Amino acid sequence: MTYKELLHLVTFKEVEPHIVNMYPEAKDSLGWFKLHYDMLRMMIPKRHDDSNGDVCCITMKDWDEMAQVLILMLSRLKLR
């Protein structure tokens, strides 16, 4: 599964509360988050031959919150 496919599993409205929970100071800037979320969804994935075996490492400081988002995404994936 690509990052793009993962982004298409949930709407921004579903992700929004998790952003506010993780970054309360961002509550007044959600429009910017939405803009970048939409831009990421519109991007076309590009594969590179030198991509280190297609390994991608993503880190987050708050894994509990991220786990909730991932569970939501995975539950959507199972329903399809």
Side-chain angles (χ1 to χ4, degrees):
M1 172 181 290
T2 65
Y3 181 61
K4 182 177 178 69
E5 291 168 335
L6 190 61
L7 281 173
H8 283 275
L9 289 178
V10 295
T11 65
F12 184 77
K13 283 290 183 195
E14 293 169 304
V15 175
E16 191 175 297
H18 299 284
I19 294 171
V20 173
N21 190 33
M22 290 172 63
Y23 306 102
E25 69 280 0
K27 186 175 183 178
D28 296 328
S29 304
L30 288 174
W32 289 108
F33 282 89
K34 172 80 166 91
L35 174 73
H36 287 93
Y37 174 83
D38 291 340
M39 288 171 65
L40 285 170
R41 288 176 56 130
M42 289 188 287
M43 291 177 72
I44 298 170
K46 184 175 182 183
R47 284 196 138 356
H48 294 278
D49 292 336
D50 63 348
S51 64
N52 192 21
D54 296 329
V55 174
C56 177
C57 296
I58 301 172
T59 60
M60 297 266 325
K61 71 173 189 171
D62 189 346
W63 283 105
D64 292 335
E65 180 68 24
M66 188 59 187
Q68 292 176 14
V69 175
L70 288 174
I71 288 168
L72 175 65
M73 290 177 172
L74 290 173
S75 67
R76 289 286 176 88
L77 184 61
K78 290 177 184 176
L79 294 175
R80 293 177 184 214

